[in-house]
Amino acid sequence: MQPVRCLWACSQCYVVAVSSHDKPTYLFVNLTPEDSATALLDFMQLYIKSAKGNVVWKQFPEILQPAIFAQIPPLEV
């Protein structure tokens, strides 16, 4: 995890992006750090284990399921 300066979601609290070169990027918005840190680590394990980085919504840790999120496809070169 790495903090960054303000992106498009400056008005949102606790925005997390999970990405890799050949996998889709997942963006989670409006999380609470106290409640979601462990769930994010669990999600990242699912993401890493998936060959193509696709994580089915029903596999998301329960605390992340109601979160606002986006799955952004990887850039094809």
Side-chain angles (χ1 to χ4, degrees):
M1 291 187 206
Q2 176 181 352
V4 295
R5 291 186 172 241
C6 180
L7 300 173
W8 67 271
C10 293
S11 63
Q12 308 298 319
C13 61
Y14 200 53
V15 177
V16 174
V18 177
S19 66
S20 181
H21 295 289
D22 297 332
K23 296 181 178 185
T25 295
Y26 284 85
L27 184 68
F28 293 94
V29 181
N30 282 344
L31 301 176
T32 55
E34 301 83 19
D35 298 332
S36 55
T38 300
L40 284 166
L41 291 173
D42 292 342
F43 173 82
M44 287 182 208
Q45 289 301 312
L46 294 170
Y47 181 79
I48 290 167
K49 289 178 184 177
S50 172
K52 294 188 178 189
N54 294 314
V55 180
V56 179
W57 175 81
K58 289 186 177 188
Q59 291 180 320
F60 284 22
E62 189 174 330
I63 199 161
L64 297 180
Q65 289 182 2
I68 298 170
F69 78 95
Q71 180 193 44
I72 304 158
L75 185 62
E76 293 186 28
V77 183

